[in-house]
Every structure is written in C-alpha cells, then in structure tokens.
C-alpha cells in the first residue's frame, strides 16, 4: 500500500502497465468469449481462481479490474473490490454474501430507502430478520445483538437526515462478537472516510454518484477487508453480477478527478449550508460539518471533510410552499441521483422511512446536491426560492 496522498492516488491507482498497454487510461476491453490455445489450457484456467485473469466475459477484463483495483488502493487494508451494475446491486450482493436463513441483520434506521426495502422484501422472504436501530446508538448496539445477529449495516451520514454514526464503537462491538460489518460509504467515499482501516469488513459505494461524477452511468462497488473477499466473490459469481466495461471505463475516467471535485463540492456545500442557517425561513440545516448536526463530534473526529449533499428543514409551510421554492429554481434540477457536476433540489420526507426512531421536523425538508456551479449563483437562486416559499406560506 502506497503512502501517497489521496489526490495522487486517485490519479495513478489501478493503471497497471499490462492493462493500459502504455495508454494513459485503461482502454475498453469488451469480451464475452475468451479463446484458449488448447483443451488443457481451458481446463487449467477454469480450475484456478480467475480474479485478474481472462476467463469469461462475466468475470471481467482489465477495464473492470483497473477500476476495482483503484478502489481497493483507496481503502488501506482492503483485499479486493468487485463492481456491480448499480449501487443497489452492490448492497444486495454484499448482504446476500454474508447472511443466511435464520440470521438477523441490524440495519441503521436512516439507511437509503432501497436498502430498507431489500431487508423488508427479499431478505425477509429468505428468512433473514432485520432489526432497525437508531443511527446515534454507538456502543449501545451491543444491547440489540443476539446469538443470531450476523451482520450490522451502517450508513454514515444517514440518507436524507445526515446523522453521523460512531463507526469505531459499532465495529468494536461487532468484532467482539464475530459479527460482520458493512457500510454504505457513498456520501464520504474512501477519500473522506477510509472505513476498511477503521475495521469495517465491507465498504459499499454507489459509484453512480461521486466516482462517476457526471450523472450518466449506473455503477456500484464493494471493497472487502483482508479475509473477507472470498465469500463476496463466491456470491457475486453465483448471482452473475457484472458491470459492463464501458461503464467501468467511465467510472475510471470520473475517479481521476474525484479528489478535486469532492473538495469543490464540499466547500461550496458548506458555504451554502452556513448561509441557509442565517435565513429566517429555515428552521434547521442538516449538515454533518455544522455543530448542531447529530453526531457532529464524531464527524469532526473521523472524517477528513464533507461532500456536497445535505438537507434543510423549512420553518413551517406546506407541501405547496415547498414546491414553490423548488419549482422556480434556475440552477437546481429536480431529481434523485447526486454526485454529478450539476446541482439538484429534492423534496424529501424522512418520516416515511423510519421505524426504530421518530423523525419530527418544524416543516417540510429539502435535500440539496451542490454541484460545481459558482456557489454565489446558487445562493442567489435559493434566496429567490426562499422568497417564493415565504410568499406561498403566508
Ligand atoms: C444512490 C444511492 C445508492 C444506490 O445507488 P444506485 O447506483 O442508484 O443503485 C445507495 N446508497 C446511497 C446512499 C445512495 O445515495
């Protein structure tokens, strides 16, 4: 593992000469069939571990391995990474790799909604029970562990509401009991929170967001800690999970600029979050770098910085008043995915996606993805939006 700084590593990681063939970016190697020189060679290769060896298209080519290796290099202590056709596919494959019928899963209450749906849907159907837990639980998670608890799933900060979890405290409890830990690390990426080094077993990314960075590719990844790769590989192969070389290539292309993009997203988002805090129309800003965010001290202790996604709570007002704010924005699109170069505003209703805790707010909530536009233009846009909101609220 190199000790270079992150910005250097994202530029060089995964560019092995035998894969790039002297070209700067690993080219797109497309394949289904791989041809063998002889029956003997075919037999020999089929019997061995095919990781990083051409075997069959579904097992990947240097294009996918290059991105996967780069993501492994960004997580000191990791063994290997596999790619998936989406972030949700990565979450599902990782959970199916570590859970069996009769097992119990502890899932953070602020998890991404499709992760909750997987637990309530297919996992339940396969006899895996889920207990949701308070994102602020920390070492108190020990009280929820039973002898059937096999996995703890974290997401920090939480989707929509941005509570920061005490990952080291939860990992310590899990390690003492032989429980596997997984985290959805999409918000921070390994650049802002290298979780494998903190003892987490599986780090999951929706590469769709910051790795790709341009809102035009669906892609996911799971990075396994030392000793955790084999069961992930087995499940992934059995499920036939595969990311296309074209998408992996675009992922690698995005990765090269991820450090500078993240810095810009982070700085602009914090500036806008601090400005929103001063506004009378805004009751609360939910951003981990702000002192009143639940878990802010943990954020300050563990994270190297913030990325560009946060929410704010309006002071009163209806659904219609919130729509008046969002509908008229010039620089913010209305859409779900995030991590791209463009800003987005989304109406969100966290109270609909909670079961272990109760989410209460002073008014409707708006989630912002701050893109690479000049933050002053975004502030002017939001200022006009808040005026529309205040007018509609009456
Ligand atoms: C978007 C997202 C996902 C899912 O990624 P897709 O590529 O859209 O399937 C998972 N987790 C988080 C936190 C996300 O924001």
């Amino acid at each position: 593992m190199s000790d270079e700084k992150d910005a250097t590593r994202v530029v060089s990681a995964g560019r092995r000469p035998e894969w790039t063939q002297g070209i700067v970016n690993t080219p797109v190697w497309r394949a289904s069939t791989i041809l063998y020189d002889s029956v003997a060679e075919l037999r020999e290769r089929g019997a061995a571990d095919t990781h990083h060896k051409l075997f069959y298209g579904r097992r990947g080519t240097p294009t996918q391995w290059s991105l996967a290796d780069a993501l492994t290099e960004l997580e000191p202590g990791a063994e290997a990474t596999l790619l998936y056709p989406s972030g949700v596919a990565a979450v599902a494959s990782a959970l199916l790799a570590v859970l069996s019928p009769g097992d119990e899963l502890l899932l953070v209450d602020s998890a991404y909604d499709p992760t909750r749906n997987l637990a309530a849907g297919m996992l339940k159907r396969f006899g895996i029970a889920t207990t949701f837990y308070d994102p602020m639980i920390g070492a108190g998670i020990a009280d929820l562990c039973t002898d059937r608890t096999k996995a703890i799933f974290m997401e920090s900060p939480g989707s929509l509401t941005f509570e920061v979890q005490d990952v080291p405290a939860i990992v310590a409890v899990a390690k003492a009991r032989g429980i596997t830990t997984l985290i959805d690390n999409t918000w921070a990426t390994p650049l802002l929170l290298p979780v494998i080094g903190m003892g987490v077993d599986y780090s999951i990314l929706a590469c769709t967001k910051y790795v790709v960075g341009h809102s035009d590719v669906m892609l996911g990844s799971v990075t396994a800690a030392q000793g955790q790769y084999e069961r992930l590989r087995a499940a992934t192969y059995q499920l036939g999970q595969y990311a296309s070389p074209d998408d992996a290539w675009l992922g690698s292309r995005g990765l090269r600029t991820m450090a500078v993009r993240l810095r810009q997203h982070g700085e602009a988002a914090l500036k806008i979050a601090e400005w929103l805090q001063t506004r009378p129309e805004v009751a609360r800003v939910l951003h981990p770098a702000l002192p009143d965010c639940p878990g802010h001290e943990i954020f300050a202790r563990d994270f190297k910085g913030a990325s560009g996604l946060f929410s704010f709570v309006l002071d009163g007002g209806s659904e219609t008043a919130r729509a008046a704010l969002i509908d008229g924005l010039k620089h913010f699109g209305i859409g779900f995915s995030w991590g791209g170069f463009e800003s987005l505003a989304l109406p969100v209703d966290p109270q609909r996606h909670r079961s272990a805790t109760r989410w209460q707010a002073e008014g409707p909530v708006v989630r912002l993805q701050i893109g690479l536009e000049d933050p002053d233009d975004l502030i002017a846009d939001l200022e006009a939006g808040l005026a529309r909101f205040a007018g509609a609220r009456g």
Side-chain angles (χ1 to χ4, degrees):
M1 185 50 58
S2 65
D3 55 6
E4 284 132 12
K5 296 213 182 334
D6 289 337
T8 309
R9 223 183 270 162
V10 296
V11 169
S12 59
R15 288 168 51 204
R16 290 197 198 180
E18 70 267 34
W19 296 342
T20 62
Q21 306 270 320
I23 294 164
V24 172
N25 289 317
T26 306
V28 179
W29 297 56
R30 304 190 115 277
S32 60
T33 303
I34 309 296
L35 299 173
Y36 299 91
D37 288 341
S38 64
V39 172
E41 196 204 0
L42 176 133
R43 295 260 183 269
E44 188 196 322
R45 276 220 248 157
D49 175 11
T50 58
H51 189 50
H52 288 177
K53 293 192 193 75
L54 287 173
F55 172 69
Y56 180 64
R58 200 191 321 110
R59 302 276 175 93
T61 69
T63 315
Q64 290 102 330
W65 304 334
S66 179
L67 174 60
D69 261 33
L71 295 172
T72 306
E73 282 184 53
L74 295 183
E75 283 279 10
E79 181 175 344
T81 299
L82 289 171
L83 301 181
Y84 299 85
S86 70
V88 167
V91 168
S93 302
L95 285 171
L96 290 171
V98 304
L99 290 166
S100 302
D103 290 350
E104 288 171 6
L105 165 69
L106 297 179
L107 176 54
V108 65
D109 209 23
S110 51
Y112 182 61
D113 196 36
T115 304
R116 297 182 62 104
N117 292 342
L118 172 72
M122 189 181 290
L123 295 186
K124 182 166 183 235
R125 186 153 59 78
F126 288 171
I128 297 157
T130 298
T131 302
F132 289 93
Y133 66 88
D134 185 331
M136 303 317 297
I137 201 166
I141 198 146
D143 298 338
L144 297 182
C145 295
T146 73
D147 52 7
R148 289 166 67 184
T149 305
K150 290 289 149 49
I152 301 175
F153 193 101
M154 298 170 273
E155 184 180 326
S156 183
S159 269
L160 312 183
T161 43
F162 301 93
E163 301 90 340
V164 184
Q165 291 194 251
D166 194 338
V167 174
I170 290 173
V171 165
V173 168
K175 284 214 186 296
R177 289 167 176 73
I179 298 170
T180 300
T181 50
L182 310 93
I183 189 167
D184 184 330
N185 201 24
T186 301
W187 186 89
T189 83
L191 295 187
L192 302 178
L193 191 72
V195 289
I196 298 291
M198 298 169 84
V200 175
D201 296 313
Y202 296 97
S203 170
I204 302 166
L205 295 181
C207 298
T208 308
K209 312 290 168 50
Y210 287 124
V211 172
V212 166
H214 294 75
S215 304
D216 47 11
V217 180
M218 304 296 300
L219 200 62
S221 68
V222 182
T223 299
Q226 287 296 336
Q228 301 293 340
Y229 172 66
E230 179 47 35
R231 58 180 172 164
L232 177 71
R233 186 197 64 76
T236 300
Y237 286 7
Q238 284 165 31
L239 289 165
Q241 289 287 15
Y242 159 87
S244 91
D246 301 84
D247 293 346
W249 178 77
L250 283 164
S252 288
R253 195 184 225 257
L255 182 72
R256 304 305 168 201
T257 58
M258 188 167 80
V260 12
R261 283 188 286 107
L262 270 182
R263 196 180 319 130
Q264 177 62 26
H265 285 299
E267 276 172 20
L270 188 55
K271 178 173 183 178
I272 292 166
E274 284 171 344
W275 174 81
L276 281 167
Q277 268 193 319
T278 68
R279 298 294 314 195
E281 304 88 347
V282 174
R284 255 188 302 154
V285 180
L286 311 172
H287 186 303
L290 298 178
D292 59 347
C293 184
H296 168 72
E297 342 62 66
I298 300 165
F299 173 81
R301 183 191 69 193
D302 293 346
F303 286 65
K304 297 190 204 170
S307 65
L309 189 79
F310 67 95
S311 296
F312 64 94
V313 182
L314 289 158
D315 191 13
S318 61
E319 181 85 44
T320 318
R322 172 171 67 180
L325 189 174
I326 295 173
D327 284 344
L329 293 170
K330 273 196 308 198
H331 300 298
F332 291 81
I334 305 170
F336 288 109
S337 194
W338 48 276
F341 53 82
E342 84 295 2
S343 289
L344 298 168
L346 191 72
V348 296
D349 303 293
Q351 69 278 6
R352 294 193 194 153
H353 314 288
R354 291 298 177 104
S355 46
T357 53
R358 231 176 120 217
W359 167 257
Q360 278 177 298
E362 301 83 343
V365 184
V366 178
R367 191 189 73 180
L368 296 180
Q369 126 86 6
I370 301 304
L372 302 178
E373 304 90 344
D374 190 297
D376 291 338
D377 288 332
L378 300 177
I379 286 174
D381 202 11
L382 289 167
E383 188 163 24
L386 290 171
R388 283 191 302 277
F389 165 78
R393 181 184 55 180

